[in-house]
């Protein structure tokens, strides 16, 4: 089953998959991990190229990050500032990376269109909000840099504009607005992608975690609790849930970090008015360990941030209360609001704060994509 969350409570019936992997199976490409990366990979290989693609998922599709995140599909690749990208890579490469981040958002739109996926999408934009007055000037400079160096229509909103048109409270001191962002129901998106991948000819096997991956000649042999799969090519797509022992290219490259989300009861009319929470944008702030939040279609508030170092029942309860207090510090009009749902899971960092999308150095038939820095769906 999916972990208890607002998403799992409202996603509806899980579509069927192909069950556990057969005793012995053969495929062109074996994909380890049934989240967005694995399902998208399987769909595009099968649909665009007629390649036999088999997804091997330890639990069920979307059980990890893909079914638990905040539902932000926004232009984000890694954690480097745009100025740092220009300084480190030069203008041509920085612009290319930025275009890739926009293409990633468009890919989400394309998947929803191709699969007729109804995941409650909302084309809303993204606001990066200055949580202190001293952070506002940097956002204004960032907007100007995006306009001039990246030809992108970002805009800076001053505190009055943010409070009048988007959200009030004592921590709204201006914002950088990106017009390209989509709010989605992340688990409904998984369900749609699962159906899309299977309709295109890929197979998706749940309860089929890969316990070992070895190679004999040109054939990869993937062992699961119920059977064995032979494949010419392997894709590792497990992000924060990556078992490092599967392949040498996985070792000491990623750092799983807990993130925790709360969802409140629906706001009352008085709370909506008092907080000024009228925006449909997805929201982040300027903290180094940022908070992310949004108003849901039923007027609940989703609010997420860092989790604890270790996962314990008492720690989870404390973190739930901590996040509620942080939300109420942003919006004091919500002093009486309560939490109906909370959950947690692993996001995945890397040492260079960039996603790692590579082919293994010692084997061109092994590929991997992970380390998304908690940057969301796209």
């Amino acid at each position: 089953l999916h972990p208890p969350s607002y998403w799992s409570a409202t996603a509806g019936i899980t579509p069927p998959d192909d069950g556990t992997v057969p005793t012995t199976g053969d495929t062109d490409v074996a994909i380890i991990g049934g989240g967005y990366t694995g399902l998208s990979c399987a769909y595009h290989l099968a649909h665009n190229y007629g390649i036999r693609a088999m997804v091997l998922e330890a639990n069920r599709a979307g059980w990890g990050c893909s079914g638990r995140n905040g539902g932000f599909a926004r232009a984000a690749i890694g954690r480097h500032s745009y100025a740092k990208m220009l300084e480190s890579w030069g203008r041509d490469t920085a612009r290319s990376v930025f275009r890739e981040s926009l293409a990633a958002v468009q890919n989400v739109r394309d998947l929803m269109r191709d699969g007729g996926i109804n995941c409650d999408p909302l084309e809303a934009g993204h606001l990066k909000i200055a949580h202190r007055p001293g952070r506002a000037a940097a956002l204004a400079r960032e907007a100007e840099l995006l306009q001039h160096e990246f030809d992108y229509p970002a805009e800076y909103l001053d505190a009055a504009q943010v409070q009048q048109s988007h959200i009030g409270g004592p921590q709204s001191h201006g914002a950088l607005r990106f017009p390209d962002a989509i709010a989605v129901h992340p688990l409904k998106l998984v369900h749609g992608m699962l159906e899309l991948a299977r309709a295109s000819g890929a197979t998706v096997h749940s309860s089929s975690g890969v316990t070992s991956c070895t190679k004999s000649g040109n054939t990869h042999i993937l062992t699961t609790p119920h059977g064995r799969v032979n494949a010419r090519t392997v894709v590792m797509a497990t992000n924060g849930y990556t078992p490092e022992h599967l392949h040498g290219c996985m070792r000491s490259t990623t750092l799983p970090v807990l993130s925790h989300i709360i969802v409140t009861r629906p706001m009352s009319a008085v709370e909506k008015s008092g907080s000024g929470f009228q925006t449909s944008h997805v929201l982040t702030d300027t903290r180094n360990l940022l908070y992310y939040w949004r108003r849901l279609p039923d007027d609940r508030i989703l609010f997420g941030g860092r989790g604890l170092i270790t996962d314990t029942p008492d720690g989870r309860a404390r973190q739930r209360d901590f996040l509620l207090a942080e939300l109420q510090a942003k919006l004091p009009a919500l002093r009486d609001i309560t939490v109906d749902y909370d959950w947690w899971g692993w996001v995945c960092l890397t040492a260079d704060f960039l996603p790692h999308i590579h082919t293994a150095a010692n084997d061109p038939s092994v590929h991997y994509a992970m380390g998304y820095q908690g940057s969301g769906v796209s």
Side-chain angles (χ1 to χ4, degrees):
L1 296 177
H2 286 285
S5 71
Y6 175 77
W7 305 131
S8 60
T10 57
I13 298 173
T14 301
D17 56 33
D18 294 288
T20 57
V21 74
T23 304
T24 302
D26 296 283
T27 189
D28 296 329
V29 181
I31 301 162
I32 305 173
Y36 296 138
T37 299
L39 294 173
S40 177
C41 179
Y43 163 65
H44 286 100
L45 289 174
H47 180 266
N48 295 349
Y49 305 102
I51 291 173
R52 290 184 305 163
M54 179 185 292
V55 176
L56 302 172
E57 165 58 43
N59 295 284
R60 64 195 311 176
W63 183 88
C65 301
S66 297
R68 306 188 200 187
N69 64 83
F72 292 28
R74 60 190 181 93
I77 292 185
R79 288 178 174 254
H80 292 294
S81 70
Y82 298 106
K84 178 68 173 177
M85 290 163 60
L86 288 165
E87 176 188 343
S88 300
W89 307 329
R91 193 168 187 264
D92 289 346
T93 298
R95 287 166 66 93
S96 179
V97 170
F98 184 70
R99 285 194 298 270
E100 193 75 10
S101 73
L102 297 177
V105 179
Q106 184 58 45
N107 184 51
V108 177
R109 296 187 183 101
D110 294 343
L111 287 165
M112 291 190 295
R113 179 202 64 213
D114 293 349
I117 300 172
N118 181 13
C119 55
D120 308 328
L122 187 62
E123 291 272 0
H126 165 219
L127 291 180
K128 182 180 179 181
I129 298 177
H131 71 288
R132 294 177 181 169
R135 299 292 178 92
L139 294 182
R141 291 192 297 270
E142 195 169 3
E144 185 175 347
L145 183 144
L146 282 162
Q147 294 164 9
H148 293 165
E149 297 292 339
F150 293 88
D151 298 324
Y152 183 73
E155 60 179 326
Y156 174 72
L157 308 178
D158 64 25
Q161 290 172 302
V162 173
Q163 303 231 3
Q164 288 169 9
S165 301
H166 294 283
I167 189 167
Q171 295 185 19
S172 296
H173 300 284
L176 172 63
R177 179 179 181 273
F178 297 81
D180 285 283
I182 315 166
V184 301
H185 189 303
L187 191 52
K188 287 183 179 180
L189 179 58
V190 169
H191 287 173
M193 291 177 65
L194 169 61
E195 293 180 310
L196 186 62
R198 295 186 70 225
S200 299
T203 56
V204 181
H205 296 284
S206 56
S207 301
S208 298
V210 177
T211 56
S212 69
C213 182
T214 58
K215 194 172 185 184
S216 176
N218 294 323
T219 301
H220 295 276
I221 302 168
L222 293 82
T223 304
T224 76
H226 306 287
R228 191 181 82 173
V229 174
N230 301 317
R232 292 190 297 107
T233 301
V234 172
V235 174
M236 312 275 191
T238 43
N239 201 41
Y241 295 81
T242 298
E244 291 191 345
H245 70 273
L246 286 185
H247 195 276
C249 65
M250 302 290 117
R251 297 192 186 106
S252 303
T253 59
T254 60
L255 176 65
V257 176
L258 281 175
S259 188
H260 198 120
I261 291 176
I262 61 173
V263 169
T264 69
R265 62 159 170 77
M267 289 184 288
S268 67
V270 171
E271 288 168 334
K272 283 178 65 176
S273 174
S275 64
F277 203 158
Q278 54 190 302
T279 191
S280 298
H281 285 57
V282 299
L283 309 172
T284 60
D285 64 19
T286 46
R287 288 173 168 84
N288 289 330
L289 295 174
L290 58 79
Y291 292 120
Y292 52 97
W293 68 108
R294 54 181 279 216
R295 183 167 58 89
L296 298 174
D298 57 3
D299 281 334
R300 298 175 187 271
I301 299 172
L302 177 147
F303 188 83
R306 61 178 174 81
L308 299 176
I309 301 299
T310 56
D311 181 17
T312 65
D314 288 345
R316 294 174 213 149
R318 288 196 303 271
Q319 196 65 7
R320 177 196 63 219
D321 295 342
F322 170 78
L323 289 174
L324 176 60
E326 291 293 286
L327 171 61
Q328 291 168 328
K330 287 184 176 295
L331 300 171
L334 303 181
R335 60 186 173 275
D336 296 324
I337 205 159
T338 54
V339 174
D340 280 354
Y341 301 89
D342 78 295
W343 66 95
W344 52 93
W346 299 105
V347 299
C348 190
L349 306 182
T350 57
D352 56 10
F353 294 119
L354 289 168
H356 288 192
I357 305 171
H358 291 299
T359 297
N362 63 346
D363 190 340
S365 64
V366 174
H367 311 276
Y368 58 99
M370 59 191 63
Y372 300 135
Q373 317 302 317
S375 290
V377 174
S378 53

